[in-house]
Amino acid sequence: MNSASAALLPVNTVLAWVLAVFLTIAIAVTAVARLSPEQGFGRAREVLTAGVRAAVQLAAVSAVIGWVVHHVAALLGFLLLMYAVAVRTAGRRITSDGTWWWAGLPIMVGVVPPVALLLATGLLPVRGIALIPVTGILIGGALTATVLAGRQSLATLEQRRGEVEAGLALGLTERDARIEIARPAASDAMLPGLDQTRTVGLVTLPGAFVGMLLGGADVLTAGAVQLFVLIALMAVQAVAVAVTLELVARSRLTAPRHHSSAPSSRWRPWAHLRARHAARSSPPPESSSS
C-alpha cells in the first residue's frame, strides 16, 4: 500500500468491520422505516443485495482490471459488459414489461458521441487505464438519468391520464399529448447532476479530483479533469433524459397497469375516444315497419 492510499483509507480488518456496520445500519433503517414501495421489507433486502454485490464485483474487477487494460479485445469486451449491465439495470428499474430493452438507446446515444469525440481529439488515449474509468463515469450518469426520467414520466402519465385524453380530444397527436404531460417530470432527472455541478468545491470534493490529488497530480490538473467530468456528465444526462422522454411519449417504453383487467399491458388512453367517434359516425339503425 502506498502512502497516498494509506493516508486516505487503510485497507485492513477495521475497515471491513466499519463497512459491515454501515451496511447493517442501512438495512435496519430501511426495514424499520419500511422504505419500500409496498411498505414492506423489499427495499431492505435490495440494500443487502446491493452491498454484497458491490463487494464481490469490486473484488472481481480488481483482480482482472490489471490484465484487461493491456489487451484491446478484453478492453472492448469489458466496456460492452458495462453497457449491457447498465441497460439491464435501467430497463428493469423503469418497467417490468418487454419494453425494458429500449433503455439501452438513451444510454448509448448519451455516452458514445462524447467518448468518440474525446478519442478523436486525442484528449482520451486508447488505453484501458484511462478509457475504462471515463466511460464508466459517463455510463453511470446516463444510467441514473435514464432511470429517473423513465420512472417519473411513466408515473406522471399514469396519474394524469385525464389530461392526456383531453389533449387527444383537442386534436393533439398521441406523442404530443403524452410529451406535454411527461416533460416536466422527466426534466427533474437532471437535478442531481445540476446540484453536484453547482456545489462542487463548496459542498463536495468529487472522486476524480481527490483521486488525482492522491495519485500525485497538481491541483490545477485535478481541477481540470473534475470539471471535464462534471460538464460531460451534464451533456450525457441531458441527452439521455431527452431520448428517454421521447421513447415514453412514443410508447416505446411503457409500464404495465397491474390494476387493469384488460388483456393488453400497454396503456391506450385514446381507445375510448376512437370508439366514441366511431359510434357517432355510424348511421343510426333503420326502424322496422310493422
Side-chain angles (χ1 to χ4, degrees), residues 50-272:
V52 174
R53 281 187 58 176
V56 174
Q57 289 166 187
L58 285 175
V61 169
S62 300
V64 303
I65 198 71
W67 176 78
V68 168
V69 297
H70 297 297
H71 298 79
V72 176
L75 172 60
L76 294 178
F78 191 79
L79 294 176
L80 288 176
L81 176 63
M82 294 168 61
Y83 171 71
V85 173
V87 172
R88 179 68 175 179
T89 302
R92 287 309 185 188
R93 282 295 183 191
I94 295 173
T95 181
S96 59
D97 67 14
T99 64
W100 65 267
W101 61 272
W102 277 102
L105 185 60
I107 297 176
M108 180 180 66
V109 174
V111 172
V112 171
V115 173
L117 177 62
L118 291 171
L119 292 174
T121 56
L123 291 174
L124 183 64
V126 189
R127 297 200 309 269
I129 199 64
L131 191 57
I132 288 177
V134 171
T135 306
I137 291 173
L138 298 182
I139 290 178
L143 162 65
T144 302
T146 300
V147 169
L148 291 176
R151 288 174 64 93
Q152 293 174 4
S153 297
L154 290 174
T156 299
L157 288 173
E158 174 69 18
Q159 294 167 0
R160 300 171 63 182
R161 294 195 304 271
E163 295 176 56
V164 176
E165 294 175 356
L168 292 168
L170 291 174
L172 294 179
T173 64
E174 175 196 348
R175 180 259 181 194
D176 291 343
R178 290 167 63 88
I179 205 169
E180 287 298 321
I181 300 301
R183 182 182 284 116
S187 67
D188 286 345
M190 295 185 62
L191 291 180
L194 289 173
D195 290 341
Q196 183 182 19
T197 304
R198 286 171 179 159
T199 60
V200 64
L202 298 176
V203 178
T204 60
L205 292 176
F209 181 80
V210 175
M212 291 200 65
L213 289 180
L214 292 174
D218 61 89
V219 177
L220 181 60
T221 301
V225 170
Q226 184 61 67
L227 179 62
F228 152 73
V229 169
L230 291 173
I231 300 299
L233 272 176
M234 285 199 298
V236 167
Q237 291 177 340
V239 172
V241 170
V243 175
T244 303
L245 175 62
E246 193 67 33
L247 290 174
V248 171
R250 294 179 182 272
S251 297
R252 299 297 186 269
L253 269 171
T254 60
R257 295 181 63 191
H258 300 291
H259 61 276
S260 176
S261 59
S264 174
S265 63
R266 182 173 295 185
W267 167 46
R268 293 183 174 88
W270 60 93
H272 80 279

